[in-house]
Amino acid sequence: MLNHASEVAIKIPKTRFQSREESQLANEMRLFRHIRHSNIVLFHGATLMVINDGSPCLSLVLEWVNGGNFGEYMQQLRSNAAFEADGHAFAYKILLDVARGMTYLHKLTPVILHLDLKPANILVEKSVPPKGKITDFGLSRFARNSLPQPKVGTEKYMAPEVARRKPYGPAADVFSFGRVIIWTMTGELCPELVSSTSPKGQEDACLFQTLDEVASSCLEEEPHMRPHFFQVYDRLTTPPPTTTTKIVPPLTTTPTTPTTTPPPTTTTKIVL
């Protein structure tokens, strides 16, 4: 019996035919055993749950994050005009948290690739300042080989080498992060809109300058021209220079073996 109530999230298959989704959940469980970081949703364990009087199915017990995903968070900020006040700094802080979490994943041995980095897979904990946490590792894999690989992830945030079913590695996650930055700055996935975005105040202008530079480096067409995540994180924590600079790209990339895009799952809040 627990002395204190603990809120957790239970991630369960959404559809009646659950074998494929359970496979994705099993993959998440396998990877979560190697992951523990403050900017990644905490894995408490796994359990079997009966859904709609069916057979018991695998479910993950995860940290309950008091807030929505990054997409919902930004939509709320923009709709109530808060984005022009503290919103820019808060959004920057969340991106910094994501870069910190991804740096951790890419420094593990072996490297863990997320492969589906997007606003919907970033949770935002309600606090001041807010805290970003990476979630949904259903497509994630260890980076181990350089064989041609099937397309995986979300099309709009997908690196070109992934879309073309070429070998890919950590640089694919970096590209996805660049797309997340562009979406954060403009509300769209169109880099051309960055130049037409005019933040108010010198501090916001500096934040936008840094984000623009980081996004440009992350979105390089060739994977070997993109920076490592630790370089992205370092740049985001460094005050913007007086002149535009480009992040030095890595010398090599490490490819991995992917899987296919999973069907959706649902997360339910439960109090223990």
Side-chain angles (χ1 to χ4, degrees), residues 70-148:
F70 191 32
E72 296 166 342
Y73 179 83
M74 291 300 296
Q75 184 179 15
Q76 183 178 8
L77 281 183
R78 291 190 174 101
S79 64
N80 63 16
F83 196 56
E84 295 300 328
D86 297 322
H88 292 142
F90 285 173
Y92 192 95
K93 164 65 167 55
I94 293 166
L95 291 172
L96 184 63
D97 288 343
V98 173
R100 184 187 293 114
M102 290 303 304
T103 297
Y104 165 81
L105 290 175
H106 284 192
K107 283 189 173 182
L108 291 175
T109 304
V111 169
I112 291 180
L113 307 183
H114 189 278
L115 299 178
D116 198 19
L117 195 60
K118 57 184 179 181
N121 288 339
I122 301 166
L123 298 183
V124 180
E125 188 176 81
K126 290 182 179 178
S127 57
V128 179
K131 187 173 186 178
K133 291 176 177 280
I134 303 165
T135 189
D136 199 339
F137 287 79
L139 296 178
S140 302
R141 287 291 180 269
F142 293 114
R144 281 176 171 159
N145 64 58
S146 58
L147 297 175

Side-chain angles (χ1 to χ4, degrees), residues 97-220:
D97 288 343
V98 173
R100 184 187 293 114
M102 290 303 304
T103 297
Y104 165 81
L105 290 175
H106 284 192
K107 283 189 173 182
L108 291 175
T109 304
V111 169
I112 291 180
L113 307 183
H114 189 278
L115 299 178
D116 198 19
L117 195 60
K118 57 184 179 181
N121 288 339
I122 301 166
L123 298 183
V124 180
E125 188 176 81
K126 290 182 179 178
S127 57
V128 179
K131 187 173 186 178
K133 291 176 177 280
I134 303 165
T135 189
D136 199 339
F137 287 79
L139 296 178
S140 302
R141 287 291 180 269
F142 293 114
R144 281 176 171 159
N145 64 58
S146 58
L147 297 175
Q149 303 163 7
K151 189 162 66 173
V152 61
T154 302
E155 195 85 35
K156 292 181 179 180
Y157 296 88
M158 191 180 295
E161 64 271 22
V162 179
R164 296 167 187 159
R165 295 176 171 84
K166 293 183 177 181
Y168 54 83
D173 281 340
V174 173
F175 184 93
S176 297
F177 185 66
R179 300 287 278 175
V180 171
I181 292 177
I182 294 298
W183 174 87
T184 304
M185 296 174 70
T186 67
E188 304 286 345
L189 286 172
C190 183
E192 291 76 14
L193 292 178
V194 174
S195 59
S196 63
T197 304
S198 301
K200 298 178 181 179
Q202 182 177 359
E203 184 177 352
D204 283 347
C206 289
L207 294 181
F208 267 60
Q209 177 188 341
T210 300
L211 290 177
D212 188 19
E213 294 171 10
V214 172
S216 296
S217 297
C218 292
L219 294 174
E220 287 283 355

Side-chain angles (χ1 to χ4, degrees), residues 6-60:
S6 299
E7 293 181 331
V8 296
I10 306 295
K11 188 172 183 180
I12 61 177
K14 186 177 181 180
T15 62
R16 181 179 178 184
F17 302 100
Q18 304 158 357
S19 59
R20 188 178 179 186
E21 295 177 64
E22 284 190 320
S23 176
Q24 297 297 330
L25 291 177
N27 180 62
E28 284 195 80
M29 180 177 66
R30 179 172 61 94
L31 292 172
F32 264 131
R33 293 172 56 204
H34 301 270
I35 299 171
R36 196 173 188 88
H37 190 272
S38 60
N39 294 119
I40 298 174
V41 169
L42 180 64
F43 172 67
H44 291 296
T47 187
L48 294 176
M49 294 189 67
V50 176
I51 303 173
N52 298 328
D53 298 324
S55 301
C57 65
L58 177 66
S59 303
L60 304 185

Side-chain angles (χ1 to χ4, degrees), residues 2 4-10 268-272:
L2 296 177
H4 302 283
S6 299
E7 293 181 331
V8 296
I10 306 295
T268 304
K269 178 180 177 182
I270 293 181
V271 178
L272 299 180

